[in-house]
Amino acid sequence: MDQEEETKGNTSNFESINITEIPDNDVKLDKENFSKGLMTLLSPVIEEMDSRIVAVKASQKELSKEIERLLAELQLFVEAAEPPPIQSSIQKLISARKKLTTTNQTLKTVHDRIERMHAQLSKENT
């Protein structure tokens, strides 16, 4: 019940203030004072934000110029550098792989023959 009494008390305070009782001159002065106070409060913040935005824009311009410079240097490097001649090495590797495959097939054939001969000798000994 205490909250209800407080709420009723607050409501009665609000009801007792009648806006029509405040003279127009006082309302205008209050609006002007509020506007001046708000401007006084926000002006330094806005000016600081503005100066920081200007600094960020300048920094971004500088970064953009640096990126362009690096791209130009990289382009010169790409144009100047010749790829190493690896085609002959690739052909050598392909040839070596073919020889290795052929050798492995030959070894497998020899191994199979030896296994058959071993099996035959085992049969003859028993």
Side-chain angles (χ1 to χ4, degrees), residues 49-63:
M49 287 177 58
D50 188 45
S51 66
R52 288 188 181 190
I53 289 171
V54 169
V56 167
K57 284 183 179 181
S59 175
Q60 286 179 337
K61 274 186 179 180
E62 194 174 310
L63 179 62

Side-chain angles (χ1 to χ4, degrees), residues 109-122:
T109 305
V110 170
H111 181 49
D112 290 344
R113 284 183 186 170
I114 291 173
E115 287 292 322
R116 283 193 305 257
M117 289 171 63
H118 184 63
Q120 242 180 1
L121 285 174
S122 294

Side-chain angles (χ1 to χ4, degrees), residues 26-40:
D26 287 344
V27 171
K28 288 180 183 177
L29 287 177
D30 285 342
K31 286 181 181 179
E32 287 177 15
N33 287 337
F34 178 74
S35 298
K36 287 179 184 177
L38 192 58
M39 285 300 294
T40 304

